[in-house]
Amino acid sequence: MNKLKELARGKAKTLYETDDPDLLVMEYRDDTSAFDGGKMASLERKGRVNNRINAFIMQRLENAGVATHFVRLLNDRESLVKRLKMIPVECVIRNIAAGSLCKRLGVEEGLELSPPIFEFFLKNDELHDPMITDEHIRAFGWAEPEEVVQMKQLTAQINDVLAGLFADAGMLLVDYKVEFGRSGGRLLMGDEFTPDGCRLWDAETRRKMDKDRFRRDLGDVVETYEEVAARLGVDLS
């Protein structure tokens, strides 16, 4: 398997083609962004830490029966993944009120949500990722009706697995977003699961341990990501 030309570049990751048409190399860069790219920085070691955390989480999900695009780690900054035809929708679960939910509904940050709230968002930075409904997805053909049902089911299954995993490590999984894509007639979880795409709080102090440290200028972003990895038992050596 040889790494070939660049296929796509996001705000923090780059995808490369390989000599296998069904496989891609996903590179985690040190780039960090917030507010749809309105705030950007490069944070040393971040790409390496996120690559390792993602590999750990993906393997845990696979072991729990959630099919993902992850194949294996290649090196500190790169992983081998299956090529997916991505669905342009973000699936969000909120276990605790935070972020945009508080702004939209005027609820207090930290309110525990029972049952957890599920939301769909259109993946479009120019439109600031607007919230959408099942009906939007069906009407505009972004996914088939059975895929909408499956995305909801898989996102809930991911929550069951990861909320417990983080709780065992002394952290609260506040909320997160996941994305899905098609491969060989199957729906697989794609993209990543790292502190960039979820909110994590220390279970006792509620100290923020995710990208809110960058959004809110709290400092120690990478150091906190490394603490997340250490608590989970992720090997960063």
Side-chain angles (χ1 to χ4, degrees):
M1 193 279 299
N2 295 310
K3 176 179 170 183
L4 302 178
K5 67 178 181 179
E6 181 178 312
L7 177 65
R9 175 176 289 260
K11 292 187 288 291
K13 300 186 299 296
T14 306
L15 285 172
Y16 294 89
E17 293 183 331
T18 73
D19 49 15
D20 184 329
D22 295 324
L23 297 175
L24 302 173
V25 171
M26 178 177 282
E27 177 192 34
Y28 288 76
R29 308 192 310 272
D30 287 339
D31 297 332
T32 306
S33 69
F35 312 120
D36 297 326
K39 180 179 181 179
M40 303 190 71
S42 180
L43 303 175
E44 187 178 357
R45 305 190 311 279
K46 175 176 168 286
R48 176 177 179 272
V49 175
N50 272 357
N51 186 31
R52 296 278 180 170
I53 290 176
N54 180 70
F56 178 88
I57 294 294
M58 291 290 190
Q59 288 166 343
R60 286 300 184 99
L61 290 173
E62 288 278 359
N63 292 342
V66 179
T68 79
H69 72 152
F70 180 80
V71 178
R72 67 174 185 272
L73 274 174
L74 294 175
N75 52 54
D76 273 353
R77 292 181 176 273
E78 295 178 333
S79 288
L80 190 66
V81 299
K82 298 170 187 173
R83 183 192 289 261
L84 302 182
K85 183 178 180 182
M86 296 302 294
I87 295 173
V89 167
E90 295 178 345
C91 301
V92 173
I93 276 197
R94 303 180 186 276
N95 295 308
I96 299 173
S100 63
L101 182 71
C102 298
K103 293 178 182 177
R104 278 189 279 126
L105 302 181
V107 296
E108 181 182 355
E109 181 178 84
L111 176 67
E112 295 192 12
L113 305 171
S114 182
I117 293 173
F118 177 93
E119 296 173 326
F120 279 125
F121 293 85
L122 179 63
K123 188 173 174 62
N124 187 314
D125 284 348
E126 291 182 3
L127 299 177
H128 304 293
D129 300 331
M131 188 167 67
I132 55 176
T133 66
D134 302 28
E135 287 77 12
H136 289 109
I137 296 172
R138 297 189 185 103
F140 294 110
W142 294 322
E144 297 298 322
E146 61 271 18
E147 290 176 327
V148 172
V149 173
Q150 193 176 1
M151 285 191 291
K152 288 183 174 181
Q153 292 172 340
L154 288 170
T155 307
Q157 184 179 354
I158 290 166
N159 198 44
D160 290 341
V161 175
L162 297 187
L165 176 67
F166 285 108
D168 289 343
M171 292 176 282
L172 299 173
L173 181 56
V174 175
D175 58 35
Y176 63 89
K177 65 98 176 172
V178 290
E179 299 174 29
F180 296 95
R182 307 177 186 97
S183 174
R186 300 178 66 202
L187 202 61
L188 306 183
M189 178 182 164
D191 197 39
E192 65 175 84
F193 198 105
T194 72
D196 273 4
C198 68
R199 283 189 174 88
L200 297 169
W201 293 351
D202 178 84
E204 292 188 4
T205 67
R206 298 208 162 190
R207 173 171 58 95
K208 292 173 173 56
M209 304 182 72
D210 53 73
K211 197 163 73 170
D212 273 348
R213 301 202 66 82
F214 177 69
R215 294 186 187 98
R216 302 189 183 191
D217 297 316
L218 299 176
D220 295 330
V221 178
V222 177
E223 292 81 0
T224 305
Y225 284 22
E226 290 171 335
E227 182 183 345
V228 170
R231 290 194 188 192
L232 291 172
V234 178
D235 183 8
L236 294 180
S237 61

